[in-house]
Amino acid sequence: MVDHFRVNRNDIFFILKNQLNYGSLCSLERYQDLKEEMLDMVVNEAITMARELVDPLQEIGEKWGVRFEKGKVFCPPEFKEAFKHFGENGWIGLARNTAYGGQGFPHMMRIVVNDLMYGACQAFNMAPSLTHGAAHLIENFAVENLKKLFVPKMYGGEWAGTMCLTEPDAGSNLANTRTTAYPAGDHYKIKGSKIFISWGDHDLTENIVHLILARMEGAPEGVKGISLFIVPKIKVNPDGSLGEPNDVLCERVEEKLGLHASPTCELNFGGNNGCVGFLCGLANRGLPHMFQMMNAARINTAVSGMTLAGTAYLNALAYAKARIQGQDVAGRKPGYVPIIDHPDVRRMLLWMKAMVDGMRSMIYTGAFWSDLAWELPAGSEERTHYHNLLDFITPIMKAYCSHMGFRVCEIALQCLGGYGYTRDYPIEQYLRDAKIMSLYEGTNGIQSIDLMGRKMRGSKGALFKAFRDELERFCITHEHHPELGKEVSILSVVLEKLTKVALKMAERMNSDPLQWASYTFPALMCFGDVTMSWRLLDLAIIAQGITDEGQGNPFHSGKIMQASYFVGTMLPLTLARLETCMRPGREIIEMSNQAF
Amino acid sequence: MNIIVCLKQVPDTESQIKLAPDGKSILKEDLKWVMNPYDEFGVEEALRIKEKFGGSVTVVGLGPKRVTESIRTALAMGADKGILISDPALEGSDALATAKALAAAVKDIPYDIIFTGQRGVDDDNGIVGPALAEYLGIPHMSIIVKVEVSQDGKSVKCNKPVEGQTLVIESPLPAVVTAQKGLNEPRYASLPGIMKAKKKPLEEKTFAALGLNPSEFGEGARNLKVIELTPPPARKAGKIVSGDTPESKAKELARLLHEEAKVI
């Protein structure tokens, strides 16, 4: 089984060029040396690499799994080669500062490239992606000599990196972090255990640099006493050469539903009192520092959910075109027909197509905003606007795309009938791999609490206002559109209702927190449906414009019909769901635990 | 060493090829165009020779403006400069005319070895490389899977697969070598390579600049006329042999081959 990974290049470029005009990023000061054709080349090269270099790892990794022998993790040799390639050719630090070995491309390019690499092999691409995240934290917060010591080697793929947050009693609640750092001159002695550490140990590189949350001895209880530390697996000499092992031991490797080639480790730090760490950033500011990375990681989780859905959908589509079974329900063709001719199969395919395109557009839009939020002149109103938009949409992207991405994989499997359930086809693996996305980087429940609480009320409602303004402007501009005005008006009605419900819920957070918390998740999903409709209608209006100029083809009519289908079938359900968020019934809270 | 690589842009295999209404050509809109895969082997080999002997690699492409994308890809892989032969009179030219234009573009640049792909994956002619050598009056070795340039840089030894055997041929340089699959594994363009590529020179040359006569090119001057293009017949659906064990599947397959396909 090869060539599992499927992606439609035209879909990607239609969003990047026609919808977002991503070449316009080159006018930002940080990207003055870039041109749109260079960004195109990065995307095209990434597609080639994803297909040729990374896609085969999906099957190799699944077969090999992770080998854990005598406290060490061994990975497939092909993974080691691919990781080296990523580092040496600049892919790990592609959007990072050139002063530390990065390539200086726009932040959004990382998201686009991750779309392709995660789609080709989620388990593998976590390794370079985590290495990037860890190195980026060091680049942003550590002192200069530590940056020079660690960051270029990590972007260059010589060393890997991890994020160590979770402990047995500190999962979603990091306030309970128990790992301790004891001051010892210019460094700290680290002692404690971390669990669920993705790529916590492996043999892809000779060193692994762990970024861990720990409490300094005597620090205040709770989240305000947590600091961030750099803890290498092997000690590093001042000249960058490797020294003795740093008393970091892998105690066990989890057995999981999916991502079998990604080692999820329990790590013990300082079991023999010999583990040295360095403070990264300010004392007791570990959580805010980590959250800078975490927000980016949440967009990446959305990417994973979406891209696994994308490749699952296209695999189902290929199957539906080839599989001959049953007769045409209206007798339009004699004999047996490919199952794509059956309306019920088409229903599933069209739903998946709209979901994938809408999610990809939502995520790329968020990624585009991230460049404007970080690279427009500091203090400008525009920059604040995009910051607000990005902050607001991040939990929506994370939870919606992970939740729906998994469901697209499930429907893709459905299209194959019994064959979809077998390992002869790649979809069951995509389905298993995709499930983690709703769990890690903050569960989807936590995302909904973040959206309906902190984000709704953040900056006195400015975050929500930025989002609402953006959508309202779109609706006003296009409500009289000759072909799609009706759909835009439906969106407009749902946006009004959503606004009312969301504001009401924000009030309820204080007055009736139990009822509020019972409905934050469905409310987040309503935000997702509305964002999807907005992005899909925007694509449709662009496609209609091209069609009106006589340049249209089935690609463009697909964009138009997927939008009208999504708006026509999804938004009525969204309206109903919004009603349920406001219902007076209190069963969720009032049913006794014994009654469950 | 001065190395030249000629490249052609062809529709990517992921593109769906559709016939034009005239029945003699294909619709070119909506196609994804890429460097001819056989030419990629040429670029890779040129880069390896440069890495060993020093010198420079010049990439020569021919066709509309979009061909610069493929030339830039070669520059991002590590080639040093690019030339695009672009002239409205080129449209519809056959392989011999193409070779003539390429010869005009390379004849004034110093070269020791010239690579082309052994054929374009679109038209499958395999003519341009040998014809280019003829126009330049130098030897050519076609369908080559191994290239060894001598230490003094004056000759080249090549392996050519023939009927399950390998023919080893040697030639003085300069010469044309047409690359076959198996010659090497082409590298991917790196991100630093993409960054550097934008600063590398890419020259555009018209027929006037090359001293070529437009009437010898294009549709009207073709020696080879396309009469008709037809798509291959649609493949019939396959059959998946079911069974609980490999043995029972094999048994069923044998039965089908015997009773239904009647081939055994």
Side-chain angles (χ1 to χ4, degrees), chain A residues 402-455:
Chain A
S402 59
H403 187 86
M404 297 311 286
F406 178 73
R407 272 146 191 85
V408 170
C409 290
E410 186 253 322
I411 294 297
L413 192 150
Q414 185 74 20
C415 290
L416 272 69
Y419 286 111
Y421 201 63
T422 69
R423 295 204 168 174
D424 292 343
Y425 291 88
I427 300 179
E428 61 85 30
Q429 190 184 345
Y430 292 138
L431 178 84
R432 287 184 287 106
D433 288 355
K435 185 54 217 162
I436 189 65
M437 306 311 154
S438 63
L439 305 170
Y440 67 22
E441 307 302 350
T443 63
N444 284 359
I446 296 235
Q447 302 303 320
S448 75
I449 292 170
D450 177 47
L451 175 72
M452 299 310 292
R454 213 164 59 85
K455 296 291 163 67

Side-chain angles (χ1 to χ4, degrees), chain B residues 48-63:
Chain B
R48 290 185 188 188
I49 294 171
K50 178 188 135 181
E51 279 157 11
K52 194 166 168 196
F53 290 90
S56 82
V57 175
T58 304
V59 179
V60 185
L62 166 146

